[in-house]
Amino acid sequence: MSTLILAEHEDGALRPATLNVVSAASQIGGEVTLLVAGQGVEAVASAAASVAGVAKVLHADDAAYANEIAENLADLVLSQADSHEHILFAATASGKNVMPRVAAMLDVAGISDVTEVRSSDTFVRPIYAGNAIATVQSSDAKKVVSVRTTSFEAAAESGGSAAVESIATTAASDKVSFIGQELSQSDRPELTSAKIVVSGGRGMQDGSNFKMLDDIAEKLNAAVGASRAAVDAGFVPNEYQVGQTGKVVAPDLYIAVGISGAIQHLAGMKDSKVIAAINKDEEAPIFQVADYGLVEDLFDALPELNKALDG
Amino acid sequence: MKVLVAVKRVLDYNVKARVKADKSGIELANVKMSMNPFDEIAIEEALRIKEAGKAEEVIAVSIGPSQSQETIRTALAMGADRGILIETDDEVQPLAVAKLLKHVAEKEEPGLLIVGKQAIDDDANQTGQMYSAITGWPQATFASKVEFEGDGLKVTREVDSGLESIQVAMPAVITTDLRLNEPRYAKLPNIMKAKKKPLEVIALADTGVSIETGLKTVEVNEPEEREAGIIVKSVDELVDRLRNEAKVI
């Protein structure tokens, strides 16, 4: 039995999400192979080779894989599928883009957003925004799975000594091409891997008020997130969104500010170790999941909090 | 050009899902059902493309039980021209949906398929990508902006670290993200008119498409409840507890 993982990387380094997927693969059992595809990614391949628990690294270097075009990545994964029973992806925007293609081309079901490995064919995944937890079993010859990264510990980045093998590349699709990207400029840690997340909701009233959260996040070395309501209202861009239709986070501390706590938002953060909530409405559902609740107007509480953190 | 849009009947966004006592699934009897919110965005985008003169016809397709006709009627009331229901009471997983949409597309020959990026019941986020894989149409997923450019489309996509844009040839499949547009509400006269628009019902068996799958649900459980904690009296107490009790800052 063996597992193939499509590694994710940016700026010449593995994305942390891939380390979580390696842990999920280790729980399935069998040999773990990481597939590193990109352009000029030798350094990523060698970093992948030292991840604990990785037995083999496949390295595909070609311009076709430079911008995570799903068509091209899926074709490459498929070219390596024969020798693996499990094919795993991180449930990131990129992984979600590729995983279903691979499943469909193998004519098997895709298993999205797995939070627990029960056995090599049985997995647990949330449905209905996490209001129900399904246990699913696959009898397909190959299991094609995306892994919810916050549900698995990260594998150690060192300790492994896998062999790196260069593999033949596949042709690039002529029906899709990359134009460009507009990445959000932030000095803050990445939302899904930050130890502390400070999130704002509709109660923030305006995008400019997120500056108050930025200042607090700066002091805590935290990432800044938002509820869908805040994104819909245009306060912050979509990549801030935590919830069923945004990102799933599980930091050590989640501070929800001016967030009422709709089920769709809770779906994205209720696995946080400690939740603190600041809301002036004592009836807000967020207080039902918060470890520490403060009923106060956020426009009073945030400046105080900012000051208290200096102490 | 025709635009095909897939719409799914799901438990209403505002209704809390309740697990059945026998753990076989979610209680769907006597609860409010609605169109999957991402599919409303898909219909809206198709209508805007038609209104911009880039398409002649918007066809809403649903796969599911007879009551899914209501979901199609909602799409028709928003402005879609006609509907197709592939009727089945069985569970239809994303791969089967993709195959059935392909079956419809082979007959209708649309230039574009628009689907929601995920349905809020199974949260799978697979159908559009699977359709792309089995048809060879390029995929533009998680779209926040769609522009006609040259012979194809320029699509701005929501990715984890911001936005990216890609150019895709047509026919193509688009999956919608939240910020693509704000769907319109159906007006009463249009709801009346929608009742007269054509809605073709096709029995699943007549499509010749197999919806068999190797994936089965063993059981469905309630999530672990998180217990409410305490209400603190001041910011100072909050900071003190986070520092000295929870030890997280």
Side-chain angles (χ1 to χ4, degrees):
Chain A
M1 206 165 66
S2 72
T3 298
L4 179 68
I5 298 171
L6 178 63
E8 290 191 28
H9 55 86
E10 63 191 333
D11 303 330
L14 277 178
R15 283 192 188 134
T18 298
L19 301 173
N20 305 101
V21 183
V22 170
S23 293
S26 302
Q27 290 183 21
I28 291 169
E31 199 176 273
V32 177
T33 299
L34 275 184
L35 171 56
V36 176
Q39 192 175 23
V41 288
E42 293 82 1
V44 181
S46 20
S50 51
V51 173
V54 174
K56 193 171 167 185
V57 172
L58 302 176
H59 172 210
D61 225 291
D62 194 276
Y65 315 125
N67 294 300
E68 301 188 302
I69 296 289
E71 282 83 347
N72 301 345
L73 288 175
D75 284 350
L76 180 69
V77 171
L78 206 66
S79 75
Q80 299 297 320
D82 276 356
S83 40
H84 303 280
E85 288 77 37
H86 292 83
I87 304 174
L88 267 53
F89 301 82
T92 55
S94 178
K96 288 173 182 172
N97 207 21
V98 183
M99 181 279 265
R101 295 189 67 84
V102 173
M105 290 190 286
L106 293 167
D107 201 26
V108 301
I111 309 173
S112 298
D113 230 358
V114 162
T115 53
E116 198 184 323
V117 173
R118 283 279 164 84
S119 71
S120 64
D121 67 359
T122 306
F123 307 91
V124 175
R125 59 179 303 267
I127 55 175
Y128 288 86
N131 282 297
I133 308 296
T135 303
V136 296
Q137 185 171 29
S138 168
S139 60
D140 286 325
K142 292 189 192 297
K143 281 65 165 163
V144 181
V145 173
S146 70
V147 173
R148 178 172 288 198
T149 56
T150 53
S151 298
F152 297 87
E153 296 289 325
E157 284 179 88
S158 60
S161 55
V164 180
E165 182 191 326
S166 282
I167 57 168
T169 55
T170 46
S173 166
D174 57 2
K175 292 179 182 166
V176 54
S177 55
F178 181 79
I179 299 175
Q181 58 190 6
E182 230 178 276
L183 302 186
S184 55
Q185 298 299 321
S186 171
D187 304 330
R188 305 258 56 82
E190 205 270 317
L191 191 53
T192 55
S193 52
K195 294 269 185 245
I196 301 179
V197 173
V198 184
S199 276
R202 203 196 301 270
M204 296 301 293
Q205 292 184 9
D206 192 275
S208 60
N209 293 329
F210 269 73
K211 174 79 172 62
M212 294 191 288
L213 299 185
D214 286 335
D215 292 345
I216 288 165
E218 171 91 38
K219 290 185 179 167
L220 294 170
N221 192 30
V224 176
S227 68
R228 178 182 164 182
V231 172
D232 277 352
F235 299 170
V236 287
N238 190 59
E239 62 266 21
Y240 281 58
Q241 192 198 149
V242 171
Q244 179 187 21
T245 57
K247 289 175 180 164
V248 177
V249 302
D252 292 342
L253 172 61
Y254 188 89
I255 307 178
V257 183
I259 291 176
S260 64
I263 51 178
Q264 290 82 8
H265 184 72
L266 301 184
M269 46 65 81
K270 68 180 176 187
D271 291 332
S272 304
K273 289 203 184 83
V274 175
I275 297 173
I278 300 172
N279 200 305
K280 67 179 174 189
D281 175 12
E282 61 182 318
E283 303 290 323
I286 191 75
F287 289 125
Q288 289 163 23
V289 299
D291 300 284
Y292 302 106
L294 175 63
V295 183
E296 193 176 327
D297 190 314
L298 66 91
F299 293 101
D300 297 326
L302 288 179
E304 279 182 56
L305 178 59
N306 194 350
K307 216 167 138 197
L309 291 172
D310 289 332
Chain B
M1 179 180 82
K2 295 178 188 174
V3 180
L4 205 62
V5 182
V7 294
K8 185 177 188 182
R9 178 177 181 265
V10 298
L11 181 66
D12 185 81
Y13 189 76
N14 288 310
V15 177
K16 189 179 189 304
R18 303 211 178 274
V19 173
K20 284 186 188 172
D22 67 0
K23 296 187 175 185
S24 63
I26 299 296
E27 192 54 70
L28 295 179
N30 305 315
V31 289
K32 188 182 178 201
M33 305 291 283
S34 301
M35 187 190 298
N36 178 42
F38 287 101
D39 304 348
E40 292 181 358
I41 297 172
I43 288 284
E44 177 64 37
E45 195 63 19
L47 296 175
R48 290 184 189 191
I49 288 168
K50 186 185 166 191
E51 285 158 4
K54 304 283 188 187
E56 286 79 46
E57 190 180 32
V58 174
I59 308 167
V61 185
S62 194
I63 298 156
S66 175
Q67 298 93 312
S68 302
Q69 290 189 40
E70 295 161 19
T71 312
I72 294 174
R73 291 286 173 206
T74 303
L76 299 177
M78 286 173 73
D81 298 289
R82 63 187 166 97
I84 300 170
L85 170 65
I86 298 176
E87 191 174 328
T88 173
D89 288 329
D90 293 333
E91 183 202 3
V92 189
Q93 292 180 8
L95 182 58
V97 174
K99 288 176 181 175
L100 288 163
L101 291 174
K102 179 172 181 247
H103 173 82
V104 173
E106 278 164 0
K107 177 163 169 266
E108 300 287 349
E109 300 184 328
L112 207 50
L113 168 69
I114 311 181
V115 301
K117 79 165 178 179
Q118 79 193 64
I120 59 165
D121 50 4
D122 63 13
D123 284 331
N125 193 332
Q126 295 181 7
T127 300
Q129 297 90 312
M130 288 181 147
Y131 180 90
S132 167
I134 62 174
T135 57
W137 296 16
Q139 69 182 46
T141 54
F142 323 147
S144 65
K145 194 174 183 187
V146 175
E147 298 159 278
F148 282 78
E149 199 154 296
D151 298 332
L153 297 171
K154 179 186 175 191
V155 179
T156 306
R157 307 179 54 238
E158 306 269 11
V159 294
D160 286 337
S161 47
L163 297 171
E164 70 167 40
S165 50
I166 58 172
Q167 175 81 20
V168 292
M170 292 174 74
V173 53
I174 295 170
T175 83
T176 60
D177 216 320
L178 289 170
R179 294 195 303 174
L180 181 58
N181 59 50
E182 202 161 309
R184 69 195 68 186
Y185 289 102
K187 297 195 184 84
L188 189 62
N190 293 341
I191 294 172
M192 302 311 288
K193 259 191 260 170
K195 291 180 178 161
K196 296 196 180 102
K197 288 183 177 174
L199 197 172
E200 181 187 4
V201 179
I202 303 169
L204 175 69
D206 293 341
T207 64
V209 175
S210 164
I211 61 165
E212 265 183 54
T213 168
L215 189 68
K216 67 162 198 269
T217 298
V218 181
E219 61 176 30
V220 176
N221 288 290
E222 300 272 359
E224 275 179 41
E225 287 289 326
R226 200 181 166 108
E227 280 178 34
I230 57 164
I231 295 291
V232 297
K233 292 190 177 59
S234 65
V235 167
D236 285 340
E237 185 190 349
L238 177 65
V239 170
D240 179 60
R241 287 190 184 263
L242 290 177
R243 240 180 220 149
N244 302 315
E245 190 175 80
K247 296 185 167 53
V248 284
I249 60 172

